[in-house]
């Protein structure tokens, strides 16, 4: 199944994409798509429903992040050998783990806002893993049984904040709007082999990243098992698994995002995203996020969705 959440920021409704690519409303069955809906039992029950009996949604509403109630947004650094090389950093012997703030999570086509004072905002297409059942010290063999499904993630990063300002990477990874997720959550049964997925990202129509998850240093199963040793993964948590080569920091000379740039990205089976880069605006809750969406779309072509 392809599960989505649609509607204005903070007012999203649950839905799914049917076999013909049409959006159908799930709100008569589920209050939302969050931790309580991600167990194998809940997903199996939904899969037995007749999709054609669900109401069709008219038009092309905004899509939000396809899962709500995310407790932890865990990220993995330098998980592709070529990306580590282009970053001028050693090949990791163990997974590099950091956290993205959950406040950075947004819809797949919402605008990305340059942080105040940013000079090195960068892009990163990634495979995201959504946890379905509690995972603590799980084995690599059993790790994927704890996964509800997979999502497309843009791990937007401010490299000066991340690398040059001291401390951990987190400060360059969790800025507002730095976590576009979606358009949909693909359940595990529809994507049984997460290590054979093509990933790509364009900036202003020019290909920047191209890779395949088979070249990950640490597989999805390895990462879920590894992270679960250091923190309990709960339903709704997201683990984003690293990016292939082609980031702006690795270009010669480096190139970073500017106001008006447009990122488009995708992964096999997980759909596509589109984000316009907009200037900094002081955050004031969801109302500002909604205003940013309206402002971006009035100034450019409507985002896909």
């Amino acid at each position: 199944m392809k599960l989505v959440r649609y509607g204005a920021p903070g007012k999203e409704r649950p839905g799914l994409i049917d076999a013909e690519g049409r959006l159908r409303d799930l709100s008569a069955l589920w209050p939302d798509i969050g931790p309580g809906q991600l167990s194998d039992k809940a997903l199996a029950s939904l899969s037995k429903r007749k999709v054609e009996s669900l109401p069709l949604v008219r038009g092309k509403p905004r899509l939000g992040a396809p899962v709500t109630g995310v407790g932890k947004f865990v990220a993995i650094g330098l998980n592709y050998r070529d990306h580590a090389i282009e970053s001028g950093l050693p090949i990791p012997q163990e997974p590099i783990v950091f956290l993205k703030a959950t406040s950075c999570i947004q819809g797949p086509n919402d605008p990305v806002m340059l942080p105040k004072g940013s000079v090195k905002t960068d892009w990163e297409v990634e495979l995201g893993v959504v946890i379905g059942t509690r995972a603590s010290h799980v084995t690599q063999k059993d790790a994927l049984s704890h996964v509800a499904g997979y999502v497309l993630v843009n791990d937007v990063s401010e490299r000066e904040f991340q690398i040059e300002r001291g401390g951990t990477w987190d400060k360059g990874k969790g800025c507002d709007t730095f976590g576009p997720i979606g358009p949909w959550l693909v359940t595990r049964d529809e994507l049984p082999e997460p290590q054979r997925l093509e990933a790509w990202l364009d900036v202003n129509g020019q290909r920047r990243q191209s890779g395949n998850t088979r070249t990950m240093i640490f597989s999805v199963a390895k990462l879920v098992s590894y992270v679960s040793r250091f923190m309990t993964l709960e339903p709704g948590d997201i683990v984003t698994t690293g990016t292939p080569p082609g980031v702006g920091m690795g270009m010669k000379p480096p190139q970073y995002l500017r106001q008006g740039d447009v990122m488009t990205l995708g992964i096999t089976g997980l759909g596509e995203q589109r984000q316009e880069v907009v200037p900094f605006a002081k955050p004031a809750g969801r109302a500002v996020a909604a205003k940013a969406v309206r402002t971006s779309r009035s100034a450019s072509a409507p985002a896909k969705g």
Side-chain angles (χ1 to χ4, degrees):
M1 293 180 291
K2 293 183 175 70
L3 302 176
V4 301
R5 298 174 64 250
Y6 69 95
K11 298 181 179 179
E12 292 91 348
R13 297 164 65 93
L16 62 75
I17 305 298
D18 67 17
E20 286 73 42
R22 297 174 298 184
L23 173 60
R24 292 181 178 270
D25 183 69
L26 270 180
S27 56
L29 302 177
W30 281 0
D32 210 332
I33 299 172
Q37 289 73 45
L38 297 176
S39 69
D40 285 350
K41 182 178 179 180
L43 294 173
S45 177
L46 179 62
S47 70
K48 295 175 183 177
R49 296 276 185 169
K50 292 183 177 180
V51 172
E52 58 272 19
S53 68
L54 299 172
L56 284 167
V57 178
R58 296 181 181 275
K60 293 185 177 181
R62 168 192 174 269
L63 296 180
V67 61
T68 189
V70 178
K72 292 188 290 296
F73 194 179
V74 183
I76 307 299
L78 305 178
N79 196 29
Y80 290 74
R81 185 176 300 271
D82 289 349
H83 174 52
I85 292 171
E86 74 175 351
S87 301
L89 295 169
I91 307 299
Q93 300 303 304
E94 293 192 37
I96 295 173
V97 180
F98 60 94
L99 297 175
K100 288 178 72 76
T102 55
S103 55
C104 80
I105 294 173
Q106 63 170 19
N109 301 316
D110 294 344
V112 165
M113 181 176 67
L114 294 171
K116 187 175 183 179
S118 169
V119 293
K120 295 182 180 180
T121 294
D122 205 348
W123 55 84
E124 293 191 12
V125 59
E126 301 197 4
L127 170 65
V129 181
V130 181
I131 301 299
T133 56
R134 192 172 188 265
S136 177
H137 294 272
V138 301
T139 66
Q140 187 170 333
K141 180 181 178 181
D142 293 335
L144 294 187
S145 68
H146 294 267
V147 172
Y150 302 94
V151 290
L152 172 62
V153 174
N154 189 352
D155 177 19
V156 186
S157 309
E158 213 299 340
R159 303 300 189 189
E160 184 190 34
F161 297 178
Q162 175 190 355
I163 298 170
E164 302 173 32
R165 301 288 292 271
T168 64
W169 286 8
D170 302 47
K171 67 177 70 172
K173 294 285 191 170
C175 303
D176 291 339
T177 76
F178 272 24
I181 298 175
W184 45 66
L185 184 160
V186 176
T187 51
R188 186 180 77 242
D189 59 307
E190 289 202 10
L191 206 66
E193 182 43 81
Q195 302 305 149
R196 298 178 182 175
L197 307 178
E198 296 286 340
W200 59 272
L201 182 145
D202 294 349
V203 178
N204 299 329
Q206 296 185 356
R207 185 59 44 95
R208 294 298 185 220
Q209 289 187 273
S210 183
N212 191 293
T213 56
R214 68 173 176 267
T215 66
M216 283 181 178
I217 299 171
F218 307 106
S219 69
V220 170
K222 171 66 175 179
L223 292 174
V224 172
S225 174
Y226 183 86
V227 173
S228 78
R229 301 180 202 173
F230 303 99
M231 62 189 82
T232 297
L233 294 171
E234 300 284 359
D237 288 351
I238 295 175
V239 180
T240 189
T241 59
T243 198
V247 299
M249 179 176 63
M251 299 178 70
K252 300 187 184 302
Q255 295 184 23
Y256 297 108
L257 294 168
R258 298 181 179 181
Q259 179 181 343
D261 286 344
V262 174
M263 293 177 283
T264 51
L265 55 147
I267 292 180
T268 307
L270 298 181
E272 298 183 8
Q273 299 183 359
R274 178 190 185 279
Q275 299 111 26
E276 181 182 352
V277 179
V278 299
F280 174 78
K282 187 175 180 180
R286 296 186 184 274
V288 165
K291 182 178 179 181
V293 172
R294 293 194 299 270
T295 300
S296 173
R297 293 185 178 177
S298 66
S300 64
K304 297 178 182 178

